[in-house]
Amino acid sequence: MSTGAKFGQMFVAIGLFTLVFGSILLLASRAKDRAAERIQAGAFVLPALLFLAVGLIYPAILTVYESFRSADSSSFVGIDNYLTILTQPDLQVVLRNTVIWMVLVPLAATAIGLLYAVLVDRARGEAFAKSLIFLPMAISFVGASIIWKFVYEYKPTGFAQIGLLNEILVTLGFDAQNFFLLPSPWNTLFLVVVMVWIQAGFAMTILSAAIKAIPSDIIEAARLDGATGVKMFRRITLPSIRPAVIVVLTTIGIGTLKVFDIVRTMTGGQFETSVVANEFYNQSFIYNNTGLGAALAVLLFILVIPVVAYNVRQLRKADAR
Amino acid sequence: MALRQISGCRWGVLGAVLTLALTLAACSQSDSTQGVDTSDCSDLKQYGDLKGKSISVYYPNVDPEDKAYKASFKRFEACTGAKVKYEGTLELSAQLPVRVRAGTPPDIASIPQPGLLATLVGTGKVKPAPAAVSANVDKFFGKDWRAYGTVNGTLYAAPGGANVKSLVWYSPSVFKAKGYLVPQTYDELVKLSDKIASDDSKAKPWCAGFGSGEATGWVGTDWLEDILLRTAGPEVYDHWVKHEIPFNDPQIATALAKVGDILKNPKYVNGGRGDVKSIATTTFQDAGQGVLDGSCYLHRQASFFAAQWPKGTKVAEDGDVFAFYLPAIDAAKGKPTLGAGDFITAFADRPEVKAFQTYLSTDAYANDKAKATPEGGWVSSNKGLKLENLKSPIDKLSAQILQDPKAVFRFDASDQMPSAVGAGTFWKGMTNWIVGKSDKETLDYIEGSWPK
């Protein structure tokens, strides 16, 4: 296609967009009674609905359909794919790892973020201290994984160390360890550290804002009543920011369910570190088993629904106040 | 789609106001022919005038390797007037099936695994090779190579490039200084390993690395395949690839034990990287560097490892590093050679696509590609490839091994097996094997994962 033709195409597209949008606006301006208003609302919603149907609902239905079909999607196999996920030893390890991630990352990231937010609150140099822990948020998952891969890098004692952790061990007089990425299930914990490192900053920012939003009269009243330190935190701070804590927990939880980049970059799912999202990619695109891949995607979807639902409800509650 | 078809240079013209000099450099670079004489069109006249036609090609090679490919197409473009649109990706094995299923395949793709070719033929979108390509394959390639491009009796793809995996990298200068000789038999290789182990207490004779991201373990599969070809022979190997004998057959167990004699021997490995288990976490790129810094002496790795040495390393028989052929165990069975390569597959049968596909299967193209790769790193099993056109000594050695009439060539088994095994449990199994699983556990695990 020549450049001219491409520009022509572009102008046609812009023209079409203007035409559609113009007619919707025209329709809107003509609307007088309730019925017309409804048509007008429909006209605005319709394009979005259309895109949702094509880009989200249709693929979702197709994925569910394929999850009940064979590897090349040629025949119906019932719930075989789901049974495979639950019974095959390799995939059981994948499920175990996903549970470890789901439990540890939201709790650890939120706890560290909360502790940090409370500690630096109104301290001197608060902005600087906060930006320190917030910085990893600016690094992509792949970038962070490469950084941490270097931190865990192993070379035997006696050779120049590249890895930070092993360099520390050697300097302290211990032997260098090839411990971080190799023995399962501990290696999953060292991968979890990467995600916590990234997400703690996010937790800290939201929770710090929530802490600052606690009305000062409540705090003053508590102080007059003699509350300090731990008691103040448990009785006043935590209950006041409870909605924010839940939003942070669930948001990180959703992100954790989808974790893929860290595992793929650091171990490639080897040494029994694979998680559902990683295995879904492998099955669908490397092993050409679309049935099992789709079943894993559906599983991921089912797992994420309650978390999302809870998250939305809490958000609504927080908005209502 | 429209966006992707806009070539880099055209955008360059748009941006020229800002970065004139840079853009000009970029544009002229992509026109480089790197030693290919584009004025000689005598053998390309048969393809006729293809002015205004374009052919899209999809290769698993990105910068800097793609430059040599683009340069190697220049003569065809100059002589026929057709335009070849090159697209490279490191994710070809995952992306090509997606594009085929989506109905937007490239005209021609380079497929590195016969297993993937068979899968794609199953979709019905691959065009059978034209008669001219078939004739070229008969003329320029061995029967074995024709078989790798054939699915259910029909030839679909002509072989493209090739590499030799039965190589052991070593340092000629170190060997000379220590008085070691290149081993001619497997026994000599083992004796040399023992000698190095007792001579040098600071280093280890072998270094190895299985690490390769999500492909971690492939180095281990190559080891097993290479040794299996030597202990059991090519017929057993073929049966094993096609799963006509189980994956955990006793003959495979014998071969795996033999691999273990080297890779799981703490006296032999892992030079400069730690104990046996460190093989799993060491990347294959890093592992061989020990040959250069003296922490190990031997590193079994394919010819393409030549690209991994630091700049300035002399890769030659009298240089810093070079490779020798991994010797046969039973010399009476010929020279077993493990290797791999890519296959030129077409998804369209327009005249210009057929013409280009035919050209790619000729000896003329193989020589053009060799000339267009001045840094080395490309060979083909094409019998018409002239050794003098290959620039690097290691490419010459690879071509010699490939063209040796005594060579018994076999294609990398994991590339031919179903991808759930060949790109999945075989890799994973070998990785877990090096970390501590027994031979039997490993082979049983892979056998159990074979798709039913």
Side-chain angles (χ1 to χ4, degrees):
Chain A
M1 205 188 290
S2 71
T3 316
K6 270 178 202 148
F7 270 109
Q9 220 175 33
M10 186 178 82
F11 286 128
V12 168
I14 293 176
L16 212 68
F17 179 78
T18 319
L19 199 75
V20 171
F21 211 77
S23 48
I24 291 175
L25 285 177
L26 194 74
L27 210 87
S29 66
R30 286 281 174 85
K32 292 277 173 332
D33 52 10
R34 271 195 87 79
E37 243 171 46
R38 229 173 261 157
I39 296 172
Q40 172 197 336
F44 275 110
V45 170
L46 196 69
L49 277 182
L50 211 70
F51 283 126
L52 272 181
V54 174
L56 190 73
I57 297 170
Y58 170 68
I61 292 172
L62 198 67
T63 306
V64 173
Y65 169 78
E66 280 186 350
S67 74
F68 293 108
R69 299 184 73 82
S70 62
D72 57 355
S73 205
S74 60
S75 61
F76 181 76
V77 295
I79 57 165
D80 271 13
N81 289 325
Y82 293 94
L83 288 179
T84 310
I85 296 176
L86 295 177
T87 54
Q88 207 199 74
D90 274 355
L91 291 169
Q92 281 173 340
V93 171
V94 168
L95 293 183
R96 178 201 74 189
N97 291 340
T98 304
V99 170
I100 296 178
W101 279 87
M102 265 311 278
V103 172
L104 286 185
V105 175
L107 286 181
T110 311
I112 292 171
L114 182 58
L115 189 71
Y116 201 82
V118 172
L119 287 181
V120 303
D121 194 42
R122 288 184 199 134
R124 229 191 308 155
E126 184 185 344
F128 177 72
K130 273 181 168 174
S131 53
L132 270 187
I133 198 168
F134 190 73
L135 265 180
M137 275 289 282
I139 301 171
S140 73
F141 278 23
V142 173
S145 306
I146 292 171
I147 294 172
W148 279 89
K149 219 177 151 184
F150 278 121
V151 172
Y152 295 149
E153 176 84 27
Y154 163 76
K155 282 224 165 188
T157 317
F159 286 86
Q161 295 292 335
I162 303 172
L164 177 69
L165 284 177
N166 273 319
E167 176 62 34
I168 293 172
L169 281 179
V170 170
T171 312
L172 292 178
F174 297 102
D175 271 343
Q177 299 292 326
N178 195 7
F179 177 75
F180 305 108
L181 294 177
L182 210 50
S184 170
W186 311 112
N187 47 10
T188 295
L189 300 187
F190 287 104
L191 298 192
V192 161
V193 166
V194 182
M195 181 105 173
V196 171
W197 182 68
I198 298 172
Q199 294 290 356
F202 165 74
M204 183 271 300
T205 315
I206 307 277
L207 296 176
S208 174
I211 289 171
K212 294 209 183 301
I214 302 173
S216 52
D217 42 351
I218 297 183
I219 296 173
E220 264 164 43
R223 239 183 230 139
L224 284 178
D225 287 343
T228 49
V230 178
K231 202 169 195 184
M232 178 83 146
F233 176 74
R234 276 188 50 208
R235 296 283 167 81
I236 305 297
T237 314
L238 202 55
S240 311
I241 60 167
R242 195 175 156 269
V245 171
I246 289 169
V247 167
V248 168
L249 270 176
T250 49
T251 308
I252 296 179
I254 295 166
T256 308
L257 259 181
K258 295 185 294 185
V259 71
F260 168 77
D261 345 32
I262 295 177
V263 173
R264 193 168 144 95
T265 310
M266 293 192 68
T267 63
Q270 294 282 352
F271 321 126
E272 306 191 344
T273 56
S274 195
V275 289
V276 172
N278 194 62
E279 202 55 29
F280 147 68
Y281 177 86
N282 279 345
Q283 294 291 349
S284 299
F285 300 112
I286 311 287
Y287 310 160
N288 291 311
N289 190 341
T290 47
L292 194 53
L296 284 161
V298 172
L299 178 74
L300 208 57
F301 185 59
I302 291 170
L303 285 175
V304 86
I305 285 176
V307 190
V308 172
Y310 192 64
N311 190 342
V312 169
R313 251 188 48 197
Q314 288 300 323
L315 271 175
R316 256 197 215 137
K317 257 196 213 162
D319 282 350
R321 289 205 299 184
Chain B
M1 279 312 289
L3 237 178
R4 198 181 315 156
Q5 283 169 358
I6 299 176
S7 81
C9 274
R10 207 165 291 142
W11 278 116
V13 174
L14 282 174
V17 190
L18 293 169
T19 51
L20 187 69
L22 261 176
T23 328
L24 284 177
C27 280
S28 58
Q29 199 173 31
S30 72
D31 281 342
S32 155
T33 55
Q34 304 197 0
V36 180
D37 179 14
T38 55
S39 59
D40 177 17
C41 289
S42 51
D43 62 317
L44 292 178
K45 287 224 172 71
Q46 51 171 314
Y47 303 122
D49 183 13
L50 301 171
K51 211 156 271 149
K53 301 284 198 290
S54 78
I55 304 138
S56 63
V57 299
Y58 200 44
Y59 273 72
N61 307 83
V62 296
D63 189 63
E65 288 168 50
D66 60 346
K67 281 199 195 84
Y69 280 99
K70 287 177 196 162
S72 73
F73 303 149
K74 282 284 179 291
R75 196 163 73 91
F76 183 84
E77 290 181 301
C79 292
T80 62
K83 178 101 192 81
V84 179
K85 288 182 172 158
Y86 184 96
E87 193 185 340
T89 171
L90 292 174
E91 300 272 319
L92 185 126
S93 303
Q95 286 304 314
L96 186 60
V98 172
R99 281 184 64 175
V100 170
R101 251 183 288 163
T104 54
D107 292 334
I108 284 175
S110 146
I111 298 180
Q113 298 107 6
L116 178 61
L117 176 67
T119 307
L120 289 174
V121 167
T123 65
K125 303 279 168 63
V126 181
K127 303 284 180 218
V133 170
S134 179
N136 280 339
V137 172
D138 281 338
K139 194 168 161 196
F140 299 118
F141 294 91
K143 276 207 179 73
D144 43 356
W145 280 90
R146 185 184 170 98
Y148 300 127
T150 302
V151 182
N152 297 330
T154 309
L155 179 75
Y156 283 92
N163 58 62
V164 174
K165 297 197 172 208
S166 300
L167 293 176
V168 179
W169 288 87
Y170 72 108
S171 168
S173 47
V174 170
F175 266 46
K176 205 172 160 196
K178 301 246 175 184
Y180 300 147
L181 293 174
V182 168
Q184 301 300 321
T185 66
Y186 198 83
D187 280 339
E188 281 179 33
L189 180 66
V190 174
K191 275 195 195 111
L192 176 66
S193 307
D194 284 332
K195 189 164 166 44
I196 294 170
S198 61
D199 280 1
D200 190 344
S201 60
K202 284 202 200 100
K204 293 278 169 69
W206 291 87
C207 43
F210 282 8
S212 182
E214 72 278 3
T216 295
W218 68 261
V219 177
T221 69
D222 280 9
W223 264 96
L224 176 58
E225 291 158 11
D226 227 347
I227 299 299
L228 179 66
L229 267 181
R230 281 161 177 73
T231 57
E235 284 77 28
V236 173
Y237 183 90
D238 290 342
H239 291 311
W240 176 65
V241 167
K242 292 182 193 136
H243 207 229
E244 289 160 359
I245 57 171
F247 200 100
N248 52 0
D249 188 273
Q251 300 178 89
I252 319 303
T254 310
L256 185 58
K258 198 126 189 134
V259 177
D261 287 344
I262 291 179
L263 287 187
K264 280 195 167 181
N265 184 345
K267 273 200 301 194
Y268 281 7
V269 293
N270 188 15
R273 308 295 313 194
D275 56 0
V276 171
K277 283 182 185 173
S278 71
I279 291 176
T281 45
T282 304
T283 64
F284 80 94
Q285 293 98 330
D286 285 349
Q289 305 303 326
V291 171
L292 205 56
D293 67 27
S295 50
C296 68
Y297 291 77
L298 302 160
H299 179 62
R300 190 213 146 277
Q301 190 51 273
S303 51
F304 53 71
F305 197 77
Q308 300 300 339
W309 301 109
K311 263 209 161 66
T313 309
K314 192 179 175 199
V315 184
E317 206 156 1
D318 56 348
D320 306 314
V321 287
F322 203 58
F324 61 79
Y325 166 75
L326 178 70
I329 289 174
D330 179 1
K333 284 180 181 159
K335 286 175 76 177
T337 305
L338 185 74
D342 64 312
F343 296 87
I344 308 301
T345 314
F347 296 90
D349 51 7
R350 302 193 309 276
E352 64 272 22
V353 176
K354 276 185 175 172
F356 190 54
Q357 197 187 357
T358 309
Y359 164 63
L360 290 180
S361 64
T362 58
D363 55 339
Y365 173 72
N367 285 306
D368 278 353
K369 177 67 179 75
K371 284 182 210 157
T373 319
E375 312 274 311
W378 188 89
V379 281
S380 167
S381 53
N382 194 312
K383 287 182 224 154
L385 175 63
K386 294 193 187 80
L387 289 185
E388 69 259 27
N389 285 332
L390 294 168
K391 297 295 181 326
S392 79
I394 191 74
D395 287 350
K396 275 193 183 131
L397 174 73
S398 306
Q400 267 166 11
I401 293 175
L402 285 170
Q403 293 179 0
D404 187 340
K406 264 198 270 166
V408 181
F409 183 87
R410 283 297 179 275
F411 204 93
D412 191 332
S414 56
D415 288 340
Q416 301 179 71
M417 292 173 175
S419 44
V421 177
T425 53
F426 196 2
W427 290 348
K428 221 180 253 174
M430 290 307 290
T431 308
N432 293 337
W433 175 78
I434 204 72
V435 179
K437 285 258 160 64
S438 74
D439 293 6
K440 188 173 161 18
E441 278 176 302
T442 303
L443 295 176
D444 289 352
Y445 161 74
I446 302 169
E447 169 61 21
S449 71
W450 199 283
K452 281 154 193 107

PDB file of all heavy atoms in Angstrom, chain A residues 188-211:
ATOM      1  N   THR A 188      10.461 -20.279  45.571  1.00  0.00           N
ATOM      2  CA  THR A 188       9.270 -19.452  45.355  1.00  0.00           C
ATOM      3  C   THR A 188       9.256 -18.272  46.328  1.00  0.00           C
ATOM      4  O   THR A 188       8.885 -17.151  45.961  1.00  0.00           O
ATOM      5  CB  THR A 188       7.993 -20.299  45.511  1.00  0.00           C
ATOM      6  OG1 THR A 188       7.966 -21.269  44.465  1.00  0.00           O
ATOM      7  CG2 THR A 188       6.738 -19.448  45.440  1.00  0.00           C
ATOM      8  N   LEU A 189       9.712 -18.511  47.562  1.00  0.00           N
ATOM      9  CA  LEU A 189       9.751 -17.413  48.534  1.00  0.00           C
ATOM     10  C   LEU A 189      10.675 -16.298  48.063  1.00  0.00           C
ATOM     11  O   LEU A 189      10.375 -15.118  48.226  1.00  0.00           O
ATOM     12  CB  LEU A 189      10.226 -17.917  49.904  1.00  0.00           C
ATOM     13  CG  LEU A 189       9.369 -19.002  50.553  1.00  0.00           C
ATOM     14  CD1 LEU A 189       9.851 -19.281  51.966  1.00  0.00           C
ATOM     15  CD2 LEU A 189       7.906 -18.572  50.576  1.00  0.00           C
ATOM     16  N   PHE A 190      11.792 -16.687  47.435  1.00  0.00           N
ATOM     17  CA  PHE A 190      12.724 -15.662  46.971  1.00  0.00           C
ATOM     18  C   PHE A 190      12.168 -14.904  45.760  1.00  0.00           C
ATOM     19  O   PHE A 190      12.544 -13.765  45.520  1.00  0.00           O
ATOM     20  CB  PHE A 190      14.085 -16.278  46.648  1.00  0.00           C
ATOM     21  CG  PHE A 190      14.843 -16.655  47.887  1.00  0.00           C
ATOM     22  CD1 PHE A 190      14.942 -17.968  48.287  1.00  0.00           C
ATOM     23  CD2 PHE A 190      15.423 -15.675  48.674  1.00  0.00           C
ATOM     24  CE1 PHE A 190      15.624 -18.313  49.441  1.00  0.00           C
ATOM     25  CE2 PHE A 190      16.102 -16.009  49.833  1.00  0.00           C
ATOM     26  CZ  PHE A 190      16.203 -17.342  50.227  1.00  0.00           C
ATOM     27  N   LEU A 191      11.263 -15.541  45.020  1.00  0.00           N
ATOM     28  CA  LEU A 191      10.593 -14.829  43.928  1.00  0.00           C
ATOM     29  C   LEU A 191       9.530 -13.887  44.504  1.00  0.00           C
ATOM     30  O   LEU A 191       9.334 -12.783  44.015  1.00  0.00           O
ATOM     31  CB  LEU A 191       9.939 -15.818  42.956  1.00  0.00           C
ATOM     32  CG  LEU A 191      10.828 -16.805  42.205  1.00  0.00           C
ATOM     33  CD1 LEU A 191      10.043 -17.484  41.098  1.00  0.00           C
ATOM     34  CD2 LEU A 191      12.030 -16.110  41.625  1.00  0.00           C
ATOM     35  N   VAL A 192       8.857 -14.377  45.563  1.00  0.00           N
ATOM     36  CA  VAL A 192       7.832 -13.561  46.214  1.00  0.00           C
ATOM     37  C   VAL A 192       8.442 -12.246  46.708  1.00  0.00           C
ATOM     38  O   VAL A 192       7.818 -11.183  46.612  1.00  0.00           O
ATOM     39  CB  VAL A 192       7.186 -14.371  47.367  1.00  0.00           C
ATOM     40  CG1 VAL A 192       6.489 -13.447  48.351  1.00  0.00           C
ATOM     41  CG2 VAL A 192       6.227 -15.411  46.821  1.00  0.00           C
ATOM     42  N   VAL A 193       9.684 -12.331  47.210  1.00  0.00           N
ATOM     43  CA  VAL A 193      10.363 -11.132  47.707  1.00  0.00           C
ATOM     44  C   VAL A 193      10.359 -10.027  46.643  1.00  0.00           C
ATOM     45  O   VAL A 193      10.130  -8.854  46.944  1.00  0.00           O
ATOM     46  CB  VAL A 193      11.821 -11.475  48.114  1.00  0.00           C
ATOM     47  CG1 VAL A 193      12.640 -10.211  48.314  1.00  0.00           C
ATOM     48  CG2 VAL A 193      11.814 -12.322  49.369  1.00  0.00           C
ATOM     49  N   VAL A 194      10.546 -10.407  45.386  1.00  0.00           N
ATOM     50  CA  VAL A 194      10.619  -9.417  44.303  1.00  0.00           C
ATOM     51  C   VAL A 194       9.299  -8.658  44.196  1.00  0.00           C
ATOM     52  O   VAL A 194       9.268  -7.431  44.106  1.00  0.00           O
ATOM     53  CB  VAL A 194      10.948 -10.109  42.960  1.00  0.00           C
ATOM     54  CG1 VAL A 194      11.075  -9.085  41.856  1.00  0.00           C
ATOM     55  CG2 VAL A 194      12.223 -10.918  43.083  1.00  0.00           C
ATOM     56  N   MET A 195       8.200  -9.411  44.211  1.00  0.00           N
ATOM     57  CA  MET A 195       6.882  -8.777  44.075  1.00  0.00           C
ATOM     58  C   MET A 195       6.584  -7.902  45.296  1.00  0.00           C
ATOM     59  O   MET A 195       6.051  -6.805  45.162  1.00  0.00           O
ATOM     60  CB  MET A 195       5.826  -9.877  43.938  1.00  0.00           C
ATOM     61  CG  MET A 195       4.433  -9.347  43.756  1.00  0.00           C
ATOM     62  SD  MET A 195       3.914  -9.532  42.062  1.00  0.00           S
ATOM     63  CE  MET A 195       2.209  -9.042  42.170  1.00  0.00           C
ATOM     64  N   VAL A 196       6.952  -8.384  46.494  1.00  0.00           N
ATOM     65  CA  VAL A 196       6.728  -7.592  47.713  1.00  0.00           C
ATOM     66  C   VAL A 196       7.527  -6.301  47.627  1.00  0.00           C
ATOM     67  O   VAL A 196       7.037  -5.219  47.960  1.00  0.00           O
ATOM     68  CB  VAL A 196       7.130  -8.412  48.964  1.00  0.00           C
ATOM     69  CG1 VAL A 196       7.110  -7.530  50.200  1.00  0.00           C
ATOM     70  CG2 VAL A 196       6.207  -9.600  49.134  1.00  0.00           C
ATOM     71  N   TRP A 197       8.744  -6.410  47.133  1.00  0.00           N
ATOM     72  CA  TRP A 197       9.629  -5.243  46.989  1.00  0.00           C
ATOM     73  C   TRP A 197       8.966  -4.181  46.105  1.00  0.00           C
ATOM     74  O   TRP A 197       9.042  -2.988  46.370  1.00  0.00           O
ATOM     75  CB  TRP A 197      10.935  -5.726  46.367  1.00  0.00           C
ATOM     76  CG  TRP A 197      12.003  -4.687  46.163  1.00  0.00           C
ATOM     77  CD1 TRP A 197      12.698  -4.051  47.139  1.00  0.00           C
ATOM     78  CD2 TRP A 197      12.501  -4.202  44.919  1.00  0.00           C
ATOM     79  NE1 TRP A 197      13.616  -3.202  46.571  1.00  0.00           N
ATOM     80  CE2 TRP A 197      13.517  -3.271  45.211  1.00  0.00           C
ATOM     81  CE3 TRP A 197      12.209  -4.465  43.586  1.00  0.00           C
ATOM     82  CZ2 TRP A 197      14.231  -2.608  44.228  1.00  0.00           C
ATOM     83  CZ3 TRP A 197      12.918  -3.811  42.601  1.00  0.00           C
ATOM     84  CH2 TRP A 197      13.917  -2.896  42.928  1.00  0.00           C
ATOM     85  N   ILE A 198       8.279  -4.647  45.042  1.00  0.00           N
ATOM     86  CA  ILE A 198       7.629  -3.696  44.137  1.00  0.00           C
ATOM     87  C   ILE A 198       6.357  -3.140  44.761  1.00  0.00           C
ATOM     88  O   ILE A 198       6.102  -1.935  44.718  1.00  0.00           O
ATOM     89  CB  ILE A 198       7.281  -4.383  42.789  1.00  0.00           C
ATOM     90  CG1 ILE A 198       8.556  -4.869  42.101  1.00  0.00           C
ATOM     91  CG2 ILE A 198       6.507  -3.431  41.885  1.00  0.00           C
ATOM     92  CD1 ILE A 198       8.290  -5.712  40.869  1.00  0.00           C
ATOM     93  N   GLN A 199       5.561  -4.013  45.378  1.00  0.00           N
ATOM     94  CA  GLN A 199       4.213  -3.628  45.792  1.00  0.00           C
ATOM     95  C   GLN A 199       4.162  -2.908  47.141  1.00  0.00           C
ATOM     96  O   GLN A 199       3.185  -2.223  47.424  1.00  0.00           O
ATOM     97  CB  GLN A 199       3.298  -4.858  45.845  1.00  0.00           C
ATOM     98  CG  GLN A 199       3.045  -5.502  44.490  1.00  0.00           C
ATOM     99  CD  GLN A 199       2.178  -4.648  43.599  1.00  0.00           C
ATOM    100  OE1 GLN A 199       1.697  -3.601  44.017  1.00  0.00           O
ATOM    101  NE2 GLN A 199       1.977  -5.061  42.370  1.00  0.00           N
ATOM    102  N   ALA A 200       5.185  -3.059  47.972  1.00  0.00           N
ATOM    103  CA  ALA A 200       5.154  -2.423  49.285  1.00  0.00           C
ATOM    104  C   ALA A 200       5.010  -0.909  49.144  1.00  0.00           C
ATOM    105  O   ALA A 200       4.312  -0.272  49.931  1.00  0.00           O
ATOM    106  CB  ALA A 200       6.410  -2.775  50.068  1.00  0.00           C
ATOM    107  N   GLY A 201       5.630  -0.334  48.133  1.00  0.00           N
ATOM    108  CA  GLY A 201       5.544   1.103  47.916  1.00  0.00           C
ATOM    109  C   GLY A 201       4.122   1.549  47.625  1.00  0.00           C
ATOM    110  O   GLY A 201       3.652   2.576  48.131  1.00  0.00           O
ATOM    111  N   PHE A 202       3.434   0.743  46.831  1.00  0.00           N
ATOM    112  CA  PHE A 202       2.039   1.039  46.499  1.00  0.00           C
ATOM    113  C   PHE A 202       1.190   1.016  47.763  1.00  0.00           C
ATOM    114  O   PHE A 202       0.424   1.952  48.040  1.00  0.00           O
ATOM    115  CB  PHE A 202       1.540  -0.007  45.489  1.00  0.00           C
ATOM    116  CG  PHE A 202       0.056  -0.061  45.318  1.00  0.00           C
ATOM    117  CD1 PHE A 202      -0.612   0.934  44.606  1.00  0.00           C
ATOM    118  CD2 PHE A 202      -0.679  -1.102  45.867  1.00  0.00           C
ATOM    119  CE1 PHE A 202      -1.988   0.876  44.452  1.00  0.00           C
ATOM    120  CE2 PHE A 202      -2.055  -1.157  45.718  1.00  0.00           C
ATOM    121  CZ  PHE A 202      -2.708  -0.171  45.014  1.00  0.00           C
ATOM    122  N   ALA A 203       1.366  -0.036  48.586  1.00  0.00           N
ATOM    123  CA  ALA A 203       0.615  -0.160  49.835  1.00  0.00           C
ATOM    124  C   ALA A 203       0.907   1.038  50.734  1.00  0.00           C
ATOM    125  O   ALA A 203      -0.015   1.654  51.295  1.00  0.00           O
ATOM    126  CB  ALA A 203       0.983  -1.461  50.542  1.00  0.00           C
ATOM    127  N   MET A 204       2.188   1.377  50.836  1.00  0.00           N
ATOM    128  CA  MET A 204       2.592   2.473  51.709  1.00  0.00           C
ATOM    129  C   MET A 204       1.921   3.789  51.293  1.00  0.00           C
ATOM    130  O   MET A 204       1.408   4.514  52.135  1.00  0.00           O
ATOM    131  CB  MET A 204       4.114   2.594  51.661  1.00  0.00           C
ATOM    132  CG  MET A 204       4.742   3.622  52.556  1.00  0.00           C
ATOM    133  SD  MET A 204       4.860   5.210  51.760  1.00  0.00           S
ATOM    134  CE  MET A 204       5.882   4.849  50.354  1.00  0.00           C
ATOM    135  N   THR A 205       1.897   4.062  49.991  1.00  0.00           N
ATOM    136  CA  THR A 205       1.338   5.333  49.521  1.00  0.00           C
ATOM    137  C   THR A 205      -0.149   5.456  49.870  1.00  0.00           C
ATOM    138  O   THR A 205      -0.589   6.468  50.435  1.00  0.00           O
ATOM    139  CB  THR A 205       1.489   5.432  47.996  1.00  0.00           C
ATOM    140  OG1 THR A 205       2.791   5.016  47.649  1.00  0.00           O
ATOM    141  CG2 THR A 205       1.254   6.833  47.518  1.00  0.00           C
ATOM    142  N   ILE A 206      -0.920   4.438  49.532  1.00  0.00           N
ATOM    143  CA  ILE A 206      -2.357   4.479  49.784  1.00  0.00           C
ATOM    144  C   ILE A 206      -2.630   4.560  51.289  1.00  0.00           C
ATOM    145  O   ILE A 206      -3.434   5.380  51.751  1.00  0.00           O
ATOM    146  CB  ILE A 206      -3.034   3.200  49.223  1.00  0.00           C
ATOM    147  CG1 ILE A 206      -2.679   2.991  47.765  1.00  0.00           C
ATOM    148  CG2 ILE A 206      -4.543   3.258  49.459  1.00  0.00           C
ATOM    149  CD1 ILE A 206      -3.493   3.755  46.795  1.00  0.00           C
ATOM    150  N   LEU A 207      -1.921   3.715  52.069  1.00  0.00           N
ATOM    151  CA  LEU A 207      -2.186   3.664  53.503  1.00  0.00           C
ATOM    152  C   LEU A 207      -1.739   4.946  54.185  1.00  0.00           C
ATOM    153  O   LEU A 207      -2.391   5.418  55.116  1.00  0.00           O
ATOM    154  CB  LEU A 207      -1.492   2.443  54.116  1.00  0.00           C
ATOM    155  CG  LEU A 207      -2.042   1.114  53.581  1.00  0.00           C
ATOM    156  CD1 LEU A 207      -1.257  -0.055  54.133  1.00  0.00           C
ATOM    157  CD2 LEU A 207      -3.524   0.978  53.925  1.00  0.00           C
ATOM    158  N   SER A 208      -0.639   5.514  53.710  1.00  0.00           N
ATOM    159  CA  SER A 208      -0.168   6.759  54.305  1.00  0.00           C
ATOM    160  C   SER A 208      -1.201   7.867  54.097  1.00  0.00           C
ATOM    161  O   SER A 208      -1.501   8.632  55.021  1.00  0.00           O
ATOM    162  CB  SER A 208       1.159   7.147  53.667  1.00  0.00           C
ATOM    163  OG  SER A 208       1.554   8.408  54.115  1.00  0.00           O
ATOM    164  N   ALA A 209      -1.777   7.915  52.901  1.00  0.00           N
ATOM    165  CA  ALA A 209      -2.816   8.908  52.616  1.00  0.00           C
ATOM    166  C   ALA A 209      -4.020   8.678  53.526  1.00  0.00           C
ATOM    167  O   ALA A 209      -4.607   9.630  54.054  1.00  0.00           O
ATOM    168  CB  ALA A 209      -3.230   8.829  51.152  1.00  0.00           C
ATOM    169  N   ALA A 210      -4.370   7.403  53.734  1.00  0.00           N
ATOM    170  CA  ALA A 210      -5.513   7.093  54.583  1.00  0.00           C
ATOM    171  C   ALA A 210      -5.245   7.526  56.021  1.00  0.00           C
ATOM    172  O   ALA A 210      -6.123   8.072  56.702  1.00  0.00           O
ATOM    173  CB  ALA A 210      -5.815   5.595  54.518  1.00  0.00           C
ATOM    174  N   ILE A 211      -3.997   7.291  56.467  1.00  0.00           N
ATOM    175  CA  ILE A 211      -3.651   7.669  57.849  1.00  0.00           C
ATOM    176  C   ILE A 211      -3.764   9.185  58.014  1.00  0.00           C
ATOM    177  O   ILE A 211      -4.291   9.696  58.997  1.00  0.00           O
ATOM    178  CB  ILE A 211      -2.222   7.191  58.194  1.00  0.00           C
ATOM    179  CG1 ILE A 211      -2.204   5.676  58.316  1.00  0.00           C
ATOM    180  CG2 ILE A 211      -1.727   7.836  59.477  1.00  0.00           C
ATOM    181  CD1 ILE A 211      -0.817   5.082  58.445  1.00  0.00           C
TER     182      ILE A 211
END
